[in-house]
Amino acid sequence: LVKYNAIQYNLTPVISTNSVNPDTIFANNEMSLRDIEIYGFDYDYTLAFYSSHLHTLIFNIARDILISNHRYPEGLRKYEYIPNFAVRGLHYDVQKALLMKIDAFHYIQLGTVYRGLHPVPDEEVIAMYEGCHVPLENMSDFYGKSSHGHTMKQFMDIFSLPEMTLLSCVNDFFMRHNIDYEPVHLYKDVKEAIRDVHVKGIMYRAVEADIEKYICYGEQSHAVLKKLSEHGKKMFLITNSPFDFVDRGMSYIVGKDWRDLFDVVIVQADKPSFFNDRRKPFRRVTDKGALLWDRIHRLEKGQIYKQGNLYEFLRLTGWRGSKVLYFGDHIYSDLADLTLKHGWRTGAIIPELRKEIKIMNTEQYVHMMTWLQALTGLIEQMQVHRDSASQAVVEEWIREREAMRPQTKDIFNAQFGSLFRTYHNPTYFSRRLSRFADIYMASISCLLNYDLQHTFFPRRTPLQHESPFWPEQSHVSLSASSQPHRTKAESD
């Protein structure tokens, strides 16, 4: 017990001084900006960042579509959007109507399984799934969709936060009123209602009508684009959003001359099929939105193009391989195909990162994680002693560790915890992020902290069978213009 207290006292001050800069660009794969000649961007949540009002808007419109178009009960209007209910990257079991977080090894994180707005007891989850593991054949397909017999849908888009909340609210309403319903129908109806908000232009018109309410100007996208332009970099935009919506937003963020910064602008691209379907040709769009019928022989600066496909884009521009860096917020639709099939470098924009890093830098979190890891180490070392006194101490430590683990979840989000971790493993989201993104950051503005010759190096964390070559706390602190090392609490 003396050793127990000494570890708690000695470890915390060392790690507390080791905070992470939220404006850092983090590397999964070594990459030098010196090699990048062409920069590509998605629009939504990459160049344009939205206020929480947009999620409330999407939720309210989709909820009302369920009532008016799908004949759902009028009582659903009592439900309002819950801003901090869901996190990105969750899985939804379509047939069981359960929302949950799954780790990189396909294990459900107990305590994060919700039916409606209420958690499902661990015993019930274990009984339903015959344990905590979800077999590969039940997982979503490559793009996170539930299809071909898969029962799981993964929500990877920031726009999916209101969809998850609406699913949970409708489930809650039916259960509260003892209404018998088919979960598959509910999922499809909510999915269709959310799609209508986008496809029918309802969301676009609302944002255009009150742009200051919905678009956050402070992400410095204009400064990033200007910096790249001044250094002679080529730039292009590929977005699924329509031209009028993009033009209104970019005019607000950058100015009326925003198109002068881009060598190619492609709207309504229909990603991810844009990266795979060779059949759709590009079509030129006039400033008034009219579609022209002429064949496209080259992609000209100042023009707007619709649809198309990546293979035609590569043929017309010659922009191939690792000299291209493309930024997007959707790991599957924006980044996966580019890195797996075409060798482009990829940058993931993860707005949630800034908030999570700030939490990780707090004294409360550092203290919790330090002690949790110390407890784990003590349990691991002491478990070999089989005498009753030692076993009693170990069992006490195990109970304390189990009691602490929910606290490390709740500090990020009371229902589902961190976007990046289950209790100790990376989340399924984290695993895909590390595979499909060379670098990742909280916003595009993080590029302003680096010169365009900078090389990003992934941190060499020891594999399980390797010993660290130097103590974590011996690292030297770096400035914001370089990559700060992460805390031990983060790396573990």
Side-chain angles (χ1 to χ4, degrees), residues 219-319:
E219 289 295 342
Q220 300 175 313
S221 294
H222 185 197
V224 172
L225 297 173
K226 186 177 178 183
K227 176 180 178 178
L228 295 174
S229 178
E230 288 172 350
H231 283 80
K233 303 297 182 181
K234 300 283 188 183
M235 287 186 285
F236 64 92
L237 178 68
I238 302 178
T239 175
N240 286 351
S241 293
F243 172 66
D244 288 346
F245 180 70
V246 175
D247 184 50
R248 182 81 173 88
M250 289 297 287
S251 296
Y252 175 70
I253 296 167
V254 175
K256 294 291 184 183
D257 59 348
W258 68 270
R259 286 158 61 179
D260 295 342
L261 293 170
F262 291 93
D263 295 272
V264 180
V265 176
I266 299 166
V267 298
Q268 291 177 276
D270 194 25
K271 295 177 291 183
S273 67
F274 177 87
F275 299 123
N276 299 295
D277 190 344
R278 298 172 183 259
R279 295 170 296 177
K280 293 180 181 177
F282 285 108
R283 193 163 189 180
R284 196 151 61 89
V285 185
T286 68
D287 288 349
K288 294 185 178 179
L291 295 172
L292 302 181
W293 46 262
D294 53 320
R295 185 189 293 270
I296 305 300
H297 293 284
R298 62 183 180 275
L299 298 174
E300 300 177 14
K301 185 169 184 172
Q303 300 296 326
I304 303 297
Y305 300 93
K306 178 182 175 181
Q307 292 183 340
N309 65 82
L310 184 67
Y311 298 92
E312 190 71 0
F313 179 87
L314 297 175
R315 186 182 71 80
L316 294 172
T317 62
W319 294 344

Side-chain angles (χ1 to χ4, degrees), residues 1 11 13 19-20 86 110 203 218 220 301 324 352 374 422 457 469 488:
L1 291 176
L11 284 184
S19 61
V20 180
L110 294 176
M203 182 194 83
Q220 300 175 313
K301 185 169 184 172
V324 185
E352 301 95 333
T422 57
F457 295 97
F469 292 101
K488 182 167 174 31

Side-chain angles (χ1 to χ4, degrees), residues 87-103:
V87 299
R88 200 153 47 121
L90 299 178
H91 281 79
Y92 182 75
D93 190 320
V94 175
Q95 294 176 331
K96 293 183 174 69
L98 298 176
L99 189 64
M100 68 191 74
K101 190 163 72 169
I102 294 178
D103 74 10

Side-chain angles (χ1 to χ4, degrees), residues 17 24 105 195 224 237 276 346 350-351 418 457 467-468 472 486:
T17 60
T24 300
F105 301 96
R195 187 192 65 205
V224 172
L237 178 68
N276 299 295
T346 52
I350 314 291
S418 167
F457 295 97
S467 289
E472 289 281 338
R486 284 163 254 180

Side-chain angles (χ1 to χ4, degrees), residues 36-316:
I36 306 300
E37 300 172 14
I38 304 115
Y39 287 77
F41 301 91
D42 180 31
Y43 174 67
D44 296 303
Y45 288 107
T46 299
L47 293 176
F49 288 79
Y50 298 100
S51 70
S52 59
H53 296 296
L54 185 62
H55 290 166
T56 301
L57 175 76
I58 294 170
F59 178 93
N60 289 343
I61 296 171
R63 178 200 62 203
D64 294 346
I65 287 173
L66 284 178
I67 296 167
S68 58
N69 295 8
H70 296 272
R71 303 171 62 85
Y72 274 63
E74 188 68 30
L76 285 173
R77 290 196 203 276
K78 294 180 181 178
Y79 286 85
E80 300 289 341
Y81 180 62
I82 309 167
N84 297 313
F85 176 71
V87 299
R88 200 153 47 121
L90 299 178
H91 281 79
Y92 182 75
D93 190 320
V94 175
Q95 294 176 331
K96 293 183 174 69
L98 298 176
L99 189 64
M100 68 191 74
K101 190 163 72 169
I102 294 178
D103 74 10
F105 301 96
H106 297 191
Y107 281 88
I108 299 166
Q109 181 180 356
L110 294 176
T112 69
V113 180
Y114 274 70
R115 182 185 288 116
L117 299 174
H118 300 281
V120 179
D122 293 349
E123 305 78 30
E124 189 177 337
V125 174
I126 292 167
M128 279 191 289
Y129 290 94
E130 297 179 347
C132 296
H133 186 261
V134 179
L136 179 62
E137 60 266 22
N138 291 349
M139 297 293 283
S140 56
D141 69 8
F142 183 75
Y143 296 105
K145 297 177 181 177
S146 172
S147 60
H148 306 299
H150 299 129
T151 60
M152 291 288 186
K153 149 78 180 175
Q154 189 181 18
F155 291 102
M156 296 293 277
D157 190 354
I158 301 175
F159 280 131
S160 65
L161 291 172
E163 183 176 356
M164 286 186 274
T165 308
L166 183 57
L167 272 169
S168 299
C169 287
V170 180
N171 275 311
D172 182 76
F173 178 87
F174 284 155
M175 287 187 299
R176 281 179 180 273
H177 293 84
N178 295 314
I179 298 172
D180 187 28
Y181 68 102
E182 171 54 63
V184 175
H185 297 332
L186 169 59
Y187 167 72
K188 289 181 177 178
D189 289 345
V190 170
K191 180 182 176 182
E192 187 176 321
I194 293 287
R195 187 192 65 205
D196 284 350
V197 175
H198 296 270
V199 172
K200 293 184 177 179
I202 306 169
M203 182 194 83
Y204 300 133
R205 290 192 294 273
V207 172
E208 289 174 44
D210 196 356
I211 205 150
E212 292 185 7
K213 178 179 180 180
Y214 294 109
I215 291 187
C216 302
Y217 184 68
E219 289 295 342
Q220 300 175 313
S221 294
H222 185 197
V224 172
L225 297 173
K226 186 177 178 183
K227 176 180 178 178
L228 295 174
S229 178
E230 288 172 350
H231 283 80
K233 303 297 182 181
K234 300 283 188 183
M235 287 186 285
F236 64 92
L237 178 68
I238 302 178
T239 175
N240 286 351
S241 293
F243 172 66
D244 288 346
F245 180 70
V246 175
D247 184 50
R248 182 81 173 88
M250 289 297 287
S251 296
Y252 175 70
I253 296 167
V254 175
K256 294 291 184 183
D257 59 348
W258 68 270
R259 286 158 61 179
D260 295 342
L261 293 170
F262 291 93
D263 295 272
V264 180
V265 176
I266 299 166
V267 298
Q268 291 177 276
D270 194 25
K271 295 177 291 183
S273 67
F274 177 87
F275 299 123
N276 299 295
D277 190 344
R278 298 172 183 259
R279 295 170 296 177
K280 293 180 181 177
F282 285 108
R283 193 163 189 180
R284 196 151 61 89
V285 185
T286 68
D287 288 349
K288 294 185 178 179
L291 295 172
L292 302 181
W293 46 262
D294 53 320
R295 185 189 293 270
I296 305 300
H297 293 284
R298 62 183 180 275
L299 298 174
E300 300 177 14
K301 185 169 184 172
Q303 300 296 326
I304 303 297
Y305 300 93
K306 178 182 175 181
Q307 292 183 340
N309 65 82
L310 184 67
Y311 298 92
E312 190 71 0
F313 179 87
L314 297 175
R315 186 182 71 80
L316 294 172

